[in-house]
Amino acid sequence: GLGDDYTGTYVRTIEAEDNPNAPKETETIKVSKAKVTYAKNKKGKKISLKWAKISKVTGYNVRYATTKKKLKKAKVKNIKTNTQKYTIKKLKKKYYVQVRAYRTVNGKKIYGDWSKVKSVKVKK
């Protein structure tokens, strides 16, 4: 289970610090679905990935596997910096890749949906 993490949307309650009697406000935090803009094997056993920037996110996740089915159980690579590129190295054949964004709010992670699956053939 994800515990206190959320996918897509998270609603948090904001309390006025200076006035405890003030009505509580809520803020809906949504993380957009990621969009992979570039997924190619240029040379060697690696895949270069790029994706569209999503504002106000803490970082991104990348996952990859040799079949679409294995993607769901694939190990997730966490990219903490707000960069929109990543290189997957030491690869063999054909891979399927996905990216998602996340934002950390009050210690909870809110995840956007995984991007569409991209398939990339890795040259020998």
Side-chain angles (χ1 to χ4, degrees):
L2 284 170
D4 277 346
D5 294 340
Y6 301 86
T7 298
T9 308
Y10 165 64
V11 179
R12 74 165 169 176
T13 305
I14 306 155
E15 295 181 34
E17 287 170 28
D18 52 348
N19 182 2
N21 300 322
K24 290 179 174 65
E25 289 182 37
T26 59
E27 178 189 16
T28 301
I29 298 158
K30 184 162 175 34
V31 177
S32 301
K33 179 177 178 168
K35 184 176 191 282
V36 176
T37 56
Y38 181 92
K40 286 195 169 60
N41 167 239
K42 281 287 197 192
K43 59 183 179 204
K45 298 171 182 174
K46 57 188 181 186
I47 293 171
S48 294
L49 284 180
K50 289 181 187 169
W51 52 87
K53 187 177 173 67
I54 297 172
S55 63
K56 289 185 182 171
V57 298
T58 309
Y60 297 91
N61 293 153
V62 172
R63 68 180 177 185
Y64 57 97
T66 50
T67 66
K68 277 190 184 181
K69 205 173 180 178
K70 285 181 186 168
L71 265 179
K72 286 187 172 39
K73 291 193 173 95
K75 200 171 163 191
V76 174
K77 178 78 184 155
N78 195 20
I79 301 159
K80 286 184 185 144
T81 55
N82 207 343
T83 182
Q84 285 84 52
K85 61 184 187 220
Y86 183 70
T87 302
I88 306 166
K89 294 172 182 155
K90 294 179 185 166
L91 300 178
K92 294 176 188 78
K93 40 186 179 170
K94 186 175 183 179
Y95 283 81
Y96 296 88
V97 295
Q98 281 183 305
V99 176
R100 71 177 173 185
Y102 70 91
R103 185 172 161 196
T104 305
V105 179
N106 293 355
K108 297 180 197 299
K109 276 187 179 165
I110 304 118
Y111 294 103
D113 289 335
W114 285 104
S115 67
K116 284 182 183 163
V117 175
K118 293 271 187 189
S119 65
V120 185
K121 276 191 183 125
V122 175
K123 297 177 197 84
K124 284 197 169 90

